[in-house]
Amino acid sequence: MTIALRQPGPTGTTLPVAPKVPPHPGTVSLARSSLLYEWKRYLAAVLAVAFSGLLVIVQVGLLVGMFATATQVVDRARADLWVVEGKTLSFDLARDMPARIEMRLRAHPAVATVQSMAITGGDWRGPGGGKVLVLVTGFDVTDGSLSLPRDFDEAKRLALREVGAVIVDEIDLAKLGVGVGDIAEINGRRVRVVGTTSGMRAIGGANVFASKATVASLSTSPGSGAETQSYFLIKLQSPDAVDAVQEQLQALSSGDEFKVLKPDELSVMTQLYWLIESGAGAGFGFSALLGLIVGIAITSQTLRGAILTSLREYATLRALGVPVRALRRVVMEQSLWVGLAGLLVTAVTTWVVAALAAAATVAIAFPWWSMVGTAAFTLAVALVSGLFSLRPLYRTEPAELLR
Amino acid sequence: MTMHALVPSPDATRATPAVTARGVDKSFGAGAARNHVLKAIDIAIHPGELTLIMGPSGCGKSTLLAVLSGLLRPDAGSVEVLGTALWDLDDDGLDAFRLAHCGFVFQGFNLFGALTALEQVMLPLNYAGVTGRAAVEQAYAALCDVGLGPQAGLRPSELSGGQKQRVAVARAFVKDPALVFADEPTSALDKENGQVVVGLLHRAARERGATVLCVTHDPRLVAHADRLLRMEDGRITADGPAPAAPSGHSPY
């Protein structure tokens, strides 16, 4: 038995004639090796992190998707700037403002066009007699319309010019009890469905799209419509100057007479209003908190379990002089990788959910900020879990190995 | 305590001690449950020797090892290792000292399940600041030294108990430490593997001049030791050259 003497010479020095030294980068990543080798152990943590992330992004997606329908008219219009009454908090709850404001807006040299848009509530009565609360939007249907949605083609524009012609979202056809070509009533006046659009469904009730003239004909308080307007839409000579012109136009407002907003500002304002006002935001916050707690609980327990099973090995490294902070770095690196792996799972499952939602025409949206936010949230779950799991490491007492 | 612990052998050619302990005292617990484990121990351990500490369970031998190796702070007394007053160091200083000078072999092999034999040995090197090609070569050389070159790519689950302990020995030796501390290194091994491991410890002392201090109750090790300390009830009760210690060659 001379096995121990096969390679004479002190260890720690380079061999004179190096035998086939195995290929290795020369740096051991305890964190990554453990994760790969014992992936089954860490899978629970990865899935918990992914679950937390999915919970957040899908809920944000559904809320944003739902509330984005409330601003489709804004998002699809061609205006550079919107003017709404000064106390308006949400696009679909616009208050009326004096029509004479239009003249002051028009006087600005950078303004090319000012158009108005009307909105009114109404009682829809379908051929079957069912009653639905509807929001009727009155577009400008002239050739250079700023309010007409970009996806409304020329045929739709021409069809809407007829007073009493309306377009509804295809999703709402059943709710409204009509098909294209059918006659129905709004506020007791006859309207005819001349076409459908998509992705513009309402949160409650239904959206009905028509011309300003049609909206005026439906008005339940005749006479008041002439002096007031809900929205002014502005087209600028050059869209590059939008920030400066917005500021200058806003300065024309006496007090909170009106607000001048870019389309995305009006959208975000509306979506935030709904998020908070509807209570959905609070509900979302609660379930995000739940996801956070569940995610951190499972992930930290998994990481803690992994530390506990390797406690003697960690203690051996401590005995060999490896400082606690180096071991802490191993655990934190593990939690970072768990977070990244969880993020990947979140991304894939979110993609699947998005595909399913699209197939079922469920309004769901994943704006960039929701993705960045979810990524940060997911990594935070993993890293906080790592911090929570560190406790056994601090109790690593190498002297305990000498018992 | 008697002076003979400080001057344990008449051998005048001995180098200065690598480890010198004076009046080391350690108790666990408090009040009635207080357990006085080390009682004013004086001892000097010399480089180039395999020193064995033997004694019944609970005699304090493992605690002594922990105090001498910088793992457990004594209640009283001083320990000087390689000219450094060990327990004057703070925690960071102790870590740095152990990283630079100490190798450990434990009863359990304490190998990471996820790492190959090569990586187990490379890990302390990495933490000591050696990386890249140098780390691979040193780790591989240490593995070859314990006869496990061909097993460099295997994980603990693919190694026998004896091989695992040899990986642990390579891990302890790879930094070429001046001090090697072993706690029951053979008690989980069969006779043959036990012989191999103690042979490796002995060789570290002989060939590299390391100070090797080994706690055991395995009588098979006595034949390999240069010096045998017996402990009982927190005191060193006997000290002298190991009986029938072979000099210069291994019996296996």
Side-chain angles (χ1 to χ4, degrees), chain A residues 33-56:
Chain A
S33 299
S34 304
L35 282 171
L36 291 176
Y37 185 71
E38 299 171 279
W39 63 270
K40 280 181 202 157
R41 169 191 293 284
Y42 294 98
L43 190 62
V46 170
L47 292 181
V49 167
F51 166 76
S52 306
L54 190 66
L55 200 67
V56 168

Side-chain angles (χ1 to χ4, degrees), chain B residues 13-246:
Chain B
T13 61
R14 250 182 187 169
T16 42
V19 181
T20 310
R22 287 190 187 86
V24 166
D25 218 88
K26 181 73 188 175
S27 300
F28 293 110
R34 190 174 167 86
N35 185 8
H36 202 169
V37 182
L38 298 179
K39 295 169 181 169
I41 287 192
D42 296 324
I43 195 175
I45 314 288
H46 296 270
E49 290 184 355
L50 169 54
T51 304
L52 226 53
I53 307 179
M54 297 187 79
S57 292
C59 69
K61 55 189 192 298
S62 289
T63 305
L64 180 60
L65 190 74
V67 169
L68 297 183
S69 61
L71 294 179
L72 188 67
R73 191 175 288 276
D75 298 335
S78 69
V79 177
E80 194 181 300
V81 182
L82 306 173
T84 301
L86 199 57
W87 294 108
D88 288 352
L89 297 173
D90 59 7
D91 288 352
D92 287 346
L94 283 169
D95 284 346
F97 186 86
R98 291 200 309 271
L99 191 61
H101 303 296
C102 300
F104 286 86
V105 180
F106 298 105
Q107 177 180 354
F109 319 123
N110 303 343
L111 302 177
F112 287 97
L115 302 184
T116 64
L118 185 73
E119 290 170 332
Q120 312 272 5
V121 180
M122 214 187 302
L123 197 55
L125 277 181
N126 285 170
Y127 283 118
V130 184
T131 55
R133 182 82 184 155
V136 183
E137 280 173 1
Q138 287 182 37
Y140 186 62
L143 273 180
C144 291
D145 231 18
V146 299
L148 287 180
Q151 284 81 20
L154 300 185
R155 292 198 166 80
S157 58
E158 300 161 303
L159 297 170
S160 71
Q163 288 174 328
K164 280 185 226 179
Q165 191 61 307
R166 275 147 66 193
V167 173
V169 169
R171 175 171 65 182
F173 286 0
V174 71
K175 295 178 296 175
D176 200 9
L179 302 141
V180 174
F181 299 94
D183 183 50
E184 308 279 9
T186 59
S187 62
L189 302 177
D190 60 20
K191 181 167 183 254
E192 192 177 316
N193 280 302
Q195 298 282 14
V196 172
V197 166
V198 74
L200 290 167
L201 292 174
H202 199 185
R203 234 185 65 208
R206 280 290 160 82
E207 293 179 4
R208 303 197 284 117
T211 306
V212 183
L213 186 58
C214 176
V215 160
T216 188
H217 59 253
D218 185 349
R220 297 173 298 180
L221 267 58
V222 173
H224 297 268
D226 298 302
R227 179 184 174 198
L228 178 62
L229 299 166
R230 287 199 182 273
M231 268 187 86
E232 213 161 324
D233 195 24
R235 289 195 170 87
I236 291 170
T237 55
D239 181 3

Side-chain angles (χ1 to χ4, degrees), chain A residues 316-393:
Chain A
T316 303
L317 291 184
R318 290 283 297 117
L320 288 169
V322 177
V324 175
R325 63 177 178 277
L327 302 184
R328 190 168 51 210
R329 214 174 299 134
V330 170
V331 175
M332 291 315 287
E333 190 192 332
Q334 277 180 345
S335 21
L336 182 66
W337 287 115
V338 164
L340 290 173
L343 200 54
L344 190 69
V345 176
T346 303
V348 172
T349 44
T350 302
W351 182 78
V352 172
V353 167
L356 289 176
T361 63
V362 173
I364 191 163
F366 302 106
W368 66 268
W369 55 263
S370 80
M371 294 197 210
V372 171
T374 303
F377 177 84
T378 311
L379 290 179
V381 166
L383 291 175
V384 170
S385 302
L387 289 175
F388 275 136
S389 70
L390 283 174
R391 197 128 56 96
L393 210 55

